[in-house]
Amino acid sequence: MARYIFITGGVVSSLGKGLMAASLAALLQARGYRVRIRKFDPYLNVDPGTMSPHQHGEVYVTDDGAETDLDLGHYERFTGVASRQADNVTSGRIYKTIIERERRGDYLGATVQVIPHVTDAIKAFAQAETEDLDFVLCEIGGTVGDIESLPFIEAIRQLRNDLGRGQTVSIHVTLVPFIAAAGELKTKPTQHSVRELAALGVQPDVLVCRSERELPANERAKIAQFCNVRTEAVIPALDAKSIYAVPLQYHREGLDIEVLRAFGIEPGEAPDLARWDDIVERVTNPEGEVTIGVVGKYMGVPDAYKSLTEALTHGGIANRVKVNIRWLDAELFEQDDSDEVTAMLEPMHGILVPGGFGERGSEGKIAGVRFARERKVPFFGICLGMQMACVEGARSEGLGRASTTEFGPTEEPVVGMITEWMTEEGLQKREEGGDLGGTMRLGAYPAKLGGNSVVASIYGSEEISERHRHRYEVNTHYKGVLEKGGLVFSGMSPDGSLPEIVERPDHPWFVGVQFHPELKSKPFEPHPLFKSFIEAAVKQSRLV
């Protein structure tokens, strides 16, 4: 029977609960345990699929097509365990399910209430598909005290009683702020947060205390005394130089040991953390560095490209170099000033155009593609980035009005909405003007690569599977024009109808992909495309 670890946060948001959960899972995994991490999000959206990156950051997509919270990316990157639909649930999804059941009459006329119906649904979600697992880590989004999270806290309380205290552990992540004027750390916010959680029926077993200063022994003892936990179970959590150093840091502070002891499990031998030591050594002692220009539209929101940022870092880890990312607002390239574009892009050792939605910044992205093509700078286009590479390729072949129907009617629809496509489950359909949520081509799809293509040599295979999230596809009607200009369709869907990869064999490194390879990259298993892209950037750095 799986044991459960419930993770809550207090005082303020953005304390790093997701990173802590991922690190703890990695430590337990290193001890030989089978783990899975789940995220409970209190907001009323059914999923984050329609939420703006400016508010929510990136949407992480799983193999089975779920649009989920970006924390699931941390979970996958740190454990290598593929996330799935069952690993992320929102209040909106739970309420939607309950209301649909009520409309069908499933409750046989009963009054539908938060307790027991909502809390029962939360508990069912927490316990679903947990066979053959040793530990299930459940992260509760938001901050204790938020009205939205109350049903989740109540569900935790009930589960701790249902399963028995030996089967569950509660971890509370709090902030211990340093007040510069007083010159001291303040534990009172943590005390109040724990008291509020305990008032809701959940007494934490372990406290993780985020702080920008060392937490002295006397302060740890004070927190333990007032919060009713063992002193050893008050775990300091200072900022790390790299997120990949966090598992090692938590292990040094005894987090995994205290969690096991809270379950009544003897920790035994130390975990094997050799691969984390190697990753941190590569990150902290690079043998060189490269600069990658990312020409995008969500420049003010670091989390909007979270998986992309990490995948570039992984490419650097594989090549033992530091990757400096320069975030370049695509709108700045739309001033018809080629000298300004040149000035911003010339120092780059590689140019990447990421995914996105909408017309804003599109001409700037096309300008970035053109610069990379003409100047022979390594180029990587992802999703919309690939589509802009195809539009730029068509324009360079004389189709000056080439564009995508995503931006409105066009005489040359090099990219257009696809309304039907095949999956393992059969024919999938979508209607123009229909709902936005959940109507994209989502999740993992196979592709076949040309046997003598650049990408086939990079992957070391002619058959791949990658994750998608998009509504528009490159129009194969223009394949002949584009290939005449040197842009080769080197990856296609198995039925040959949907372009998946384009490349320029006569270019040092020019690849565009319709999918999102960054979603499958891990520090100990960098995605081959990012590994190869950074390798090309290293070569470029030696030429300039």
Side-chain angles (χ1 to χ4, degrees):
M1 182 178 180
R3 294 178 172 89
Y4 287 81
I5 301 170
F6 299 112
I7 299 162
T8 55
V11 185
V12 295
S13 59
S14 302
L15 287 178
K17 296 193 304 295
L19 195 55
M20 190 282 292
S23 299
L24 175 57
L27 292 174
L28 293 172
Q29 195 178 54
R31 290 179 176 275
Y33 294 107
R34 296 160 298 177
V35 300
R36 179 165 287 280
I37 320 177
R38 295 196 154 148
K39 179 72 182 289
F40 300 73
D41 278 310
Y43 50 74
L44 288 176
N45 302 68
V46 174
D47 60 41
T50 59
M51 296 171 72
S52 167
H54 290 283
Q55 286 197 20
H56 190 264
E58 77 168 3
V59 174
Y60 191 80
V61 179
T62 61
D63 280 338
D64 58 1
E67 295 177 283
T68 71
D69 184 82
L70 60 82
D71 275 331
L72 271 73
H74 285 313
Y75 304 164
E76 274 204 40
R77 285 189 286 272
F78 277 62
T79 66
V81 177
S83 298
R84 53 197 183 198
Q85 178 80 60
D87 294 329
N88 190 202
V89 73
T90 68
S91 291
R93 184 169 146 207
I94 287 171
Y95 281 113
K96 180 174 182 284
T97 301
I98 290 171
I99 290 170
E100 287 173 348
R101 290 175 181 171
E102 185 273 334
R103 292 290 84 187
R104 289 196 303 266
D106 293 357
Y107 296 113
L108 303 177
T111 301
V112 181
Q113 298 176 288
V114 173
I115 302 172
H117 300 100
V118 173
T119 51
D120 282 353
I122 294 170
K123 290 192 293 182
F125 162 75
Q127 298 177 89
E129 302 179 31
T130 58
E131 300 81 6
D132 302 323
L133 292 175
D134 296 310
F135 292 99
V136 180
L137 289 78
C138 299
E139 178 195 347
I140 313 300
T143 306
V144 168
D146 294 346
I147 192 169
E148 295 94 341
S149 63
L150 290 176
F152 293 95
I153 303 298
E154 171 61 18
I156 289 174
R157 186 194 67 78
Q158 293 181 21
L159 267 175
R160 299 200 77 182
N161 287 331
D162 295 345
L163 298 173
R165 296 306 169 93
Q167 291 297 119
T168 68
V169 161
S170 170
I171 300 177
H172 192 52
V173 184
T174 74
L175 176 68
V176 180
F178 177 79
I179 307 300
E184 58 186 11
L185 293 164
K186 291 297 183 180
T187 65
K188 195 65 71 176
T190 293
Q191 295 175 40
H192 285 306
S193 182
V194 171
R195 188 175 303 155
E196 186 161 11
L197 182 59
L200 297 172
V202 178
Q203 168 62 43
D205 302 291
V206 177
L207 295 179
V208 173
C209 298
R210 288 298 308 277
S211 176
E212 62 184 45
R213 301 291 181 97
E214 291 286 346
L215 196 60
N218 64 315
E219 297 293 346
R220 290 180 69 179
K222 181 179 178 182
I223 291 171
Q225 182 179 34
F226 282 99
C227 296
N228 198 28
V229 299
R230 297 169 62 251
T231 301
E232 294 80 5
V234 178
I235 307 297
L238 276 68
D239 291 343
K241 293 182 179 180
S242 164
I243 63 171
Y244 301 117
V246 173
L248 298 174
Q249 185 169 306
Y250 274 129
H251 176 63
R252 285 195 299 270
E253 298 294 350
L255 175 62
D256 50 324
I257 292 173
E258 288 306 315
V259 168
L260 290 174
R261 283 178 177 166
F263 279 113
I265 300 172
E266 277 301 315
E269 295 182 5
D272 180 5
L273 300 175
R275 73 177 181 181
W276 291 103
D277 287 324
D278 180 55
I279 291 167
V280 171
E281 195 277 329
R282 286 170 175 262
V283 169
T284 55
N285 297 297
E287 297 176 357
E289 59 182 64
V290 295
T291 302
I292 303 298
V294 178
V295 184
K297 61 186 292 185
Y298 308 122
M299 296 296 99
V301 190
D303 281 349
Y305 298 115
K306 188 61 181 175
S307 292
L308 180 66
T309 302
E310 297 310 317
L312 287 168
T313 299
H314 304 162
I317 290 172
N319 288 279
R320 300 192 73 97
V321 296
K322 178 184 178 183
V323 178
N324 300 309
I325 302 175
R326 295 288 180 267
W327 301 102
L328 304 172
D329 191 336
E331 288 186 280
L332 298 177
F333 293 176
E334 297 183 337
Q335 312 300 321
D336 291 329
D337 187 345
S338 59
D339 291 339
E340 185 175 349
V341 173
T342 299
M344 284 192 281
L345 291 181
E346 208 161 35
M348 304 303 140
H349 303 130
I351 296 171
L352 191 151
V353 177
F357 295 92
E359 186 174 5
R360 181 172 65 84
S362 59
E363 291 299 324
K365 293 181 179 183
I366 290 171
V369 176
R370 184 182 306 113
F371 181 91
R373 176 178 60 83
E374 294 176 347
R375 297 296 189 94
K376 302 294 185 181
V377 178
F379 169 80
F380 196 178
I382 296 175
C383 199
L384 183 63
M386 167 183 157
Q387 295 172 3
M388 294 299 94
C390 291
V391 169
E392 193 280 330
R395 290 182 183 180
S396 70
E397 287 302 300
L399 300 180
R401 296 183 181 275
S403 187
T404 166
T405 59
E406 180 179 358
F407 305 155
T410 174
E411 296 177 14
E412 300 288 356
V414 174
V415 179
M417 177 179 279
I418 183 169
T419 55
E420 296 185 358
W421 70 95
M422 291 298 297
T423 69
E424 293 181 358
E425 289 75 32
L427 183 66
Q428 303 293 314
K429 296 184 178 182
R430 87 159 69 87
E431 297 179 3
E432 291 196 51
D435 288 348
L436 295 180
T439 59
M440 292 183 276
R441 189 152 77 101
L442 290 164
Y445 286 87
K448 291 188 176 180
L449 311 183
N452 60 349
S453 64
V454 171
V455 288
S457 64
I458 292 173
Y459 275 100
S461 174
E462 294 180 20
E463 295 184 2
I464 62 171
S465 175
E466 295 282 3
R467 297 177 189 175
H468 294 65
R469 183 177 182 251
H470 58 97
R471 291 187 181 85
Y472 294 82
E473 306 276 355
V474 174
N475 188 345
T476 53
H477 175 75
Y478 290 89
K479 182 179 179 182
V481 174
L482 293 170
E483 293 199 331
K484 179 183 175 183
L487 193 63
V488 176
F489 285 51
S490 55
M492 300 289 291
S493 60
D495 62 2
S497 64
L498 302 176
E500 294 281 9
I501 305 177
V502 296
E503 63 180 55
R504 290 187 178 276
D506 60 346
H507 190 281
W509 206 97
F510 191 108
V511 175
V513 298
Q514 185 59 75
F515 44 82
H516 288 271
E518 69 271 22
L519 299 178
K520 296 179 73 171
S521 187
K522 303 170 185 65
F524 42 82
E525 189 182 338
H527 192 285
L529 288 176
F530 282 93
K531 179 180 178 181
S532 180
F533 176 55
I534 297 303
E535 182 182 8
V538 172
K539 294 178 181 176
Q540 180 72 14
S541 71
R542 294 168 182 162
L543 298 175
V544 295

